[in-house]
């Protein structure tokens, strides 16, 4: 069986660090084909992607990816656990991927696996430690980190591992592999040259955060040196055409308006809203004029900024806890965004060997054929989310792009 590499990413946008991780991974496993599970127009920290999913698909295909599959938006803007679970379910369902590579700050699959073994089994002693930490009123991620350090009883060895976002997400991939009894073999590439939120450009390597900051500051010389040329050209064309979103602040008025109009019992139905948080959200929305002020009024030790941003996105896109329950209990459909010739061949293999897979290469045709109303509802939410996303465009804002955009073919 030939080596097929799976990658899960946002590529927001695709930069030199992504290129390094991708090519290093291909080399280490001698991959003949590569599959990317790509976040759509919204990303896991509760924000908009800088450019749309088709432009980022093109970036990926021009730099070593063969087949791009969209991670449905209800997963892509969810917690790290749900994000990872959705992506792993898709990779497993393809039945062709045998390696998974992800970046991490620690670069040690063994260390992350030790954590994953505890979290996937949750021994009684660990559960007790977790409840004790949660009783202190801190956020769940911080409580879990503290409980793990106490349970493993080696703070010197494990300290700061879970303070790093790529380590945390990689850990969730490992847990999802275990929980889904998935035989895909994981590996990790140590993050090089720039930290996750660093704003520095280190010899052509910059974080995606830094790249987006360069766009905001019109620092195009730095931008050019931080990205493969093909990615730079795609990004610059998007900026020239006005087809981009700088962030959640582009929807500031819409979000505040929706929360002011929304009954408090409906706010309580938004995913991740618990413990009376709906009251704080309603009060803030009725007394704030900016998104930044709104977030600062709501966030606390227990409710992090990222969690609040995701809740605001749920309100904007019209998602509920019932929607989230559905996606957690089901295998996502396979929404193909683009492929190379090698990827087209791989997709043909996937289609022939998995007759029951819901594979979407044309949204229009799929909506005619599919009889499952819940699946169609999930797809309609993806379509609606794109229609909302394009409202941020400076020019050329259109709806129904999920129907009119063709597959990206290389």
């Amino acid at each position: 069986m030939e080596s097929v590499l799976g990658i899960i990413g946002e590529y927001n946008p695709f930069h030199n660090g992504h290129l390094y991780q991708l090519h290093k991974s291909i080399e280490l496993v001698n991959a003949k084909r590569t599959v990317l599970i790509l976040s759509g127009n919204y990303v896991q920290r509760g924000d908009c992607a800088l450019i749309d999913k088709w432009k980022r698909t093109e970036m990926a295909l021009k730099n070593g990816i063969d087949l791009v599959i969209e991670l449905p938006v209800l997963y892509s803007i969810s917690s790290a656990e749900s994000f990872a679970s959705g992506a792993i379910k898709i990779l497993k369902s393809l039945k062709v991927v045998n390696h998974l590579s992800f970046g991490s700050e620690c670069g040690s699959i063994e260390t992350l696996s030790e954590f994953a073994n505890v979290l996937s089994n949750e021994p009684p002693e660990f559960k007790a430690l977790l409840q004790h930490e949660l009783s202190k009123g801190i956020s769940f991620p911080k409580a879990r980190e503290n409980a793990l350090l106490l349970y493993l009883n080696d703070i010197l060895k494990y300290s700061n591992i879970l303070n790093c976002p790529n380590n945390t997400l990689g850990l969730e991939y490992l847990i999802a592999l275990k929980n889904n009894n998935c035989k895909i073999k994981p590996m990790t590439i140590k993050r090089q040259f720039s930290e996750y939120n660093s704003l520095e450009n280190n010899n052509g390597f910059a974080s995606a955060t830094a790249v987006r900051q360069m766009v905001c500051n019109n620092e195009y010389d730095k931008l050019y040196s931080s990205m493969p040329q093909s990615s730079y050209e795609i990004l610059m064309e998007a900026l020239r055409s006005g087809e981009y979103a700088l962030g959640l602040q582009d929807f500031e008025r819409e979000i505040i308006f929706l929360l002011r109009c929304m009954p408090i019992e409906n706010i309580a139905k938004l995913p991740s809203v618990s413990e009376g948080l709906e009251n704080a959200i309603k009060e803030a929305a009725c007394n704030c004029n900016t998104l930044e002020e709104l977030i600062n009024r709501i966030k606390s030790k227990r409710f992090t900024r990222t969690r609040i941003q995701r809740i605001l996105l749920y309100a904007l896109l019209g998602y509920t806890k019932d929607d989230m329950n559905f996606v957690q209990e089901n295998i996502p459909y396979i929404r193909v965004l683009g492929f190379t010739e090698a990827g087209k061949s791989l997709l043909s293999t996937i289609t022939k060997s998995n007759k029951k897979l819901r594979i979407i290469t044309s949204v229009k045709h799929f909506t005619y054929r599919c009889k499952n109303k819940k699946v169609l509802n999930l797809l309609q939410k993806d379509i609606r989310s794109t229609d909302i996303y394009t409202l941020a465009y400076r020019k050329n804002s259109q709806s129904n792009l999920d129907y009119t955009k063709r597959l990206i073919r290389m």
Side-chain angles (χ1 to χ4, degrees):
M1 183 178 180
E2 71 175 12
S3 178
V4 178
L5 174 69
I7 299 282
I8 302 166
E10 294 178 334
Y11 289 175
N12 184 32
F14 190 97
H15 54 66
N16 289 338
H18 293 133
L19 187 70
Y20 171 82
Q21 188 238 334
L22 174 59
H23 286 190
K24 187 71 173 176
S25 303
I26 292 171
E27 175 189 338
L28 288 174
V29 300
N30 192 27
K32 305 303 181 186
R33 303 283 190 274
T34 51
V35 179
L36 169 67
I37 308 301
L38 179 72
S39 295
N41 296 321
Y42 304 88
V43 293
Q44 199 265 330
R45 68 180 185 281
D47 210 343
C48 313
L50 177 62
I51 54 177
D52 69 44
K53 55 193 178 187
W54 293 283
K55 294 180 181 66
R56 287 181 291 123
T57 292
E58 187 177 355
M59 288 179 174
L61 294 175
K62 286 186 173 181
N63 285 284
I65 294 292
D66 291 311
L67 175 62
V68 180
I69 295 170
E70 181 180 0
L71 182 64
V73 69
L74 271 169
Y75 294 101
S76 73
I77 62 171
S78 186
S79 65
E81 177 184 2
S82 185
F83 177 96
S85 178
I88 294 299
K89 284 179 181 178
I90 292 175
L91 287 175
K92 180 184 178 182
S93 70
L94 302 178
K95 297 182 180 179
V96 295
V97 176
N98 38 37
H99 297 279
L100 169 69
S101 178
F102 58 88
S104 67
E105 289 85 357
C106 70
S108 170
I109 200 72
E110 293 77 16
T111 298
L112 294 175
S113 293
E114 287 183 65
F115 283 176
N117 289 335
V118 176
L119 294 176
S120 59
N121 296 318
E122 291 200 331
E125 184 183 348
F126 169 76
K127 286 184 177 180
L129 289 169
L130 177 60
Q131 289 304 314
H132 175 73
E133 292 300 314
L134 285 171
S135 69
K136 297 177 180 178
I138 58 179
S139 68
F140 179 81
K142 187 62 180 175
R144 189 174 73 163
E145 177 188 353
N146 292 347
L148 268 173
L149 291 176
L150 291 168
Y151 180 81
L152 294 170
N153 196 28
D154 194 339
I155 294 177
L156 185 62
K157 178 180 178 180
Y158 298 112
S159 63
N160 297 323
I161 293 291
L162 295 185
N163 284 335
C164 303
N166 292 119
N167 287 345
T168 302
L169 194 53
L171 173 60
E172 294 298 346
Y173 295 148
L174 298 181
I175 295 171
L177 288 171
K178 290 178 180 294
N179 289 345
N180 288 281
N181 193 27
C182 184
K183 304 303 182 185
I184 296 174
K185 186 176 180 179
M187 61 180 289
T188 186
I189 304 296
K190 184 174 175 61
R191 189 182 180 99
Q192 301 283 351
F193 313 113
S194 66
E195 296 181 2
Y196 178 78
N197 281 321
S198 170
L199 297 179
E200 300 298 320
N201 182 321
N202 187 351
N203 295 320
F205 286 87
S207 68
T209 302
V211 171
R212 294 190 296 272
Q213 190 66 44
M214 292 171 200
V215 171
C216 292
N217 295 339
N218 299 322
E219 297 174 317
Y220 299 123
D221 288 343
K222 290 183 180 179
L223 194 62
Y224 181 80
S225 68
S226 301
M227 306 175 69
Q229 184 173 342
S230 58
S231 297
Y232 175 81
E233 291 170 354
I234 293 166
L235 176 57
M236 291 306 296
E237 178 56 34
L239 297 178
R240 282 191 290 269
S241 67
E243 298 175 1
Y244 63 93
L246 288 178
L248 202 57
Q249 67 269 21
D250 284 343
F251 302 96
E252 181 174 75
R253 290 301 190 192
E254 290 87 344
I255 290 170
I256 293 175
F257 167 76
L258 285 168
L259 291 174
R260 286 184 176 184
C261 294
M262 194 179 291
I264 199 162
E265 58 269 23
N266 286 2
I267 297 177
K269 293 177 182 177
L270 296 173
S272 295
V273 174
S274 62
E275 302 175 61
L277 183 61
E278 64 271 17
N279 298 300
I281 294 173
K282 187 69 173 179
E283 187 276 332
C286 291
N287 292 282
C288 293
N289 288 317
T290 69
L291 202 64
E292 189 64 25
E293 185 183 358
L294 179 72
I295 294 170
N296 286 334
R297 275 180 178 250
I298 303 168
K299 71 177 183 179
S300 64
K301 284 196 300 181
R302 185 178 287 277
F303 299 109
T304 63
R305 181 186 184 89
T306 298
R307 181 171 175 178
I308 299 304
Q309 287 186 182
R310 284 201 291 262
I311 291 170
L312 299 182
L313 256 184
Y314 297 142
L316 177 67
L317 301 178
Y319 299 154
T320 67
K321 289 174 180 173
D322 287 342
D323 296 323
M324 197 61 71
N325 290 336
F326 173 75
V327 299
Q328 288 174 352
E329 295 167 2
N330 291 270
I331 297 174
Y333 44 71
I334 310 301
R335 170 76 190 280
V336 180
L337 293 176
F339 44 68
T340 62
E341 281 301 312
K344 182 180 179 181
S345 174
L346 184 62
L347 181 61
S348 178
T349 300
I350 293 167
T351 303
K352 289 175 182 176
S353 60
N354 297 270
K355 299 293 185 182
K356 293 183 179 180
L357 269 188
R358 300 186 181 100
I359 298 177
I360 306 174
T361 54
S362 165
V363 168
K364 182 178 180 180
H365 291 162
F366 184 80
T367 53
Y368 285 150
R369 295 195 317 268
C370 182
K371 305 302 180 185
N372 188 314
K373 291 183 178 180
K374 290 186 175 181
V375 171
L376 287 175
N377 178 54
L378 180 59
L379 179 59
Q380 286 300 324
K381 289 184 181 300
D382 274 352
I383 295 167
R384 182 171 182 263
S385 74
T386 301
D387 289 345
I388 293 172
Y389 176 80
T390 59
L391 292 174
Y393 284 6
R394 277 61 183 167
K395 294 181 288 185
N396 303 324
S397 178
Q398 300 176 13
S399 64
N400 293 322
L401 292 185
D402 283 286
Y403 290 102
T404 58
K405 282 279 190 182
R406 295 184 176 182
L407 291 174
I408 307 298
R409 301 169 185 259
M410 292 289 153

